[in-house]
Amino acid sequence: MERLVRMAAALRAAGTGGVTAERLAELAEFGGAGRLDQVARELRHLNHQGWQIDNIAARGEPAVYRMTTVDNRLRLRLTPAQQAALRRAALVADRADLADRLGLPETTSEPPVEVAEVAQDLALGLVLQAVREQALLRFRYSGSERLVHPESVRTQYRRWYLRGVEDGAETVKSFVVSRMSEVDVEAPGTARAVVVEHHEALHPMRWQVDEPVLVRLRTRAEFVPDVHRWLGEPEAETGQDDAVLLDYAVTHRAALYDRLYELGTRVQVLGPDDVRTELLGELDSMAGR
């Protein structure tokens, strides 16, 4: 499974230029006369499962492969262990830049991904899955087996943290994801809801920086927990067809925008118009337009 992550990372980093079959064989540690056939076989398998990877070399030239999408949301016909590993890798790719998350430079002559780095990203994928599915999470931490009801996942100073309550306890604790091992997720819905007291005065969106404004957002029901984690509890929340509308009182627009960037396409800003215009202008500026 590690070789698939290495190949996907290299293809994602290369962009439209693509990666030669020889380079992919080197990353996957395929050897011998049949190494290029092994590369083609692995890429056909990934294409079948949802990765769009094409040979862009001219006819008769050595193969060069380009990935044109990493939005897989895979449904795999593999063993349970293989399904779990590739699902975690796909989750990493779906959330952000796979190459960056694996520490892969734009150009390198050395194998770019260490096993420990891959393991950390796959552990993060499982932790995120447990939070989204409200599932009990088992892992080894500081030499002990832990069974945790997850509450949220946060990042600070380039580290990821799981917040949750150990089974049978009441105190909310934080666990460094990179220090977890033997991570396993139980069935969806097996974890109890963890209630955390939020101090509104400490939430950046409540800081008195700008004039108060009521911002309306739209999201799908499956993303409501993500919005709550990033933005806090809304002033109002209503269902509309297959969508959910949320109203937030905001007095610090920069803090709102930072969190909207993290949520990405999971939310839409419906109004007011001046907030939409300001946000779109900031995005255009970031894109160099």
Side-chain angles (χ1 to χ4, degrees):
M1 205 58 59
E2 179 187 349
R3 68 172 178 265
L4 296 178
V5 176
R6 287 175 182 266
M7 293 168 70
L11 288 162
R12 178 67 179 88
T16 57
V19 184
T20 65
E22 286 285 358
R23 177 59 179 156
L24 291 175
E26 178 186 345
L27 291 173
E29 299 179 353
F30 293 147
R35 63 188 182 282
L36 300 186
D37 291 337
Q38 288 180 287
V39 168
R41 181 167 58 251
E42 295 291 352
L43 295 182
R44 283 196 300 271
H45 172 70
L46 290 175
N47 268 320
H48 177 70
Q49 301 302 335
W51 301 72
Q52 187 177 336
I53 303 170
D54 303 306
N55 182 1
I56 59 174
R59 184 181 298 275
E61 296 294 322
V64 177
Y65 293 100
R66 178 177 65 191
M67 177 186 290
T68 55
T69 179
V70 293
D71 185 14
N72 303 289
R73 294 172 175 83
L74 304 178
R75 295 293 183 268
L76 306 172
R77 298 185 184 90
L78 304 176
T79 68
Q82 290 172 326
Q83 290 181 27
L86 267 184
R87 184 169 60 248
R88 292 192 295 270
L91 175 60
V92 173
D94 190 44
R95 285 182 54 85
D97 189 331
L98 175 60
D100 288 345
R101 296 187 64 82
L102 297 179
L104 180 68
E106 291 186 4
T107 59
T108 178
S109 59
E110 298 295 327
V113 182
E114 297 295 333
V115 173
E117 292 174 319
V118 176
Q120 177 178 335
D121 279 310
L122 298 186
L124 176 59
L126 278 177
V127 170
L128 291 168
Q129 177 188 341
V131 172
R132 289 172 185 253
E133 297 180 353
Q134 199 173 335
L136 277 168
L137 189 66
R138 294 182 180 272
F139 54 90
R140 179 173 288 276
Y141 194 85
S142 298
S144 301
E145 297 286 344
R146 310 295 179 107
L147 180 61
V148 173
H149 301 262
E151 186 268 330
S152 62
V153 180
R154 304 181 183 186
T155 182
Q156 186 175 21
Y157 305 121
R158 298 188 177 183
R159 278 189 172 182
W160 287 91
Y161 296 85
L162 165 71
R163 283 170 54 84
V165 175
E166 291 193 71
D167 195 45
E170 296 296 331
T171 303
V172 177
K173 296 181 179 180
S174 293
F175 303 90
V176 181
V177 173
S178 61
R179 296 179 184 173
M180 297 178 182
S181 62
E182 302 175 23
V183 184
D184 188 38
V185 180
E186 297 200 355
T190 51
R192 63 180 174 85
V194 177
V195 179
V196 178
E197 181 179 355
H198 295 282
H199 300 282
E200 290 298 321
L202 299 180
H203 199 293
M205 290 205 317
R206 301 294 192 270
W207 296 352
Q208 297 297 319
V209 177
D210 304 306
E211 289 296 321
V213 61
L214 191 66
V215 177
R216 170 159 287 192
L217 307 176
R218 178 166 58 202
T219 188
R220 298 206 304 267
E222 63 187 290
F223 296 139
V224 168
D226 296 337
V227 178
H228 285 181
R229 279 192 293 274
W230 281 105
L231 303 183
E233 293 298 322
E235 300 295 317
E237 181 175 321
T238 56
Q240 184 185 69
D241 298 328
D242 60 346
V244 178
L245 303 180
L246 305 102
D247 294 331
Y248 282 92
V250 179
T251 55
H252 188 187
R253 295 191 183 192
L256 170 67
Y257 299 161
D258 285 344
R259 284 156 176 76
L260 290 178
Y261 299 150
E262 294 289 346
L263 287 165
T265 57
R266 285 172 282 185
V267 295
Q268 292 178 296
V269 179
L270 300 183
D273 289 341
D274 63 321
V275 170
R276 284 175 49 85
T277 300
E278 186 176 4
L279 181 59
L280 290 172
E282 187 169 308
L283 289 170
D284 283 342
S285 176
M286 292 168 62
R289 294 195 290 267

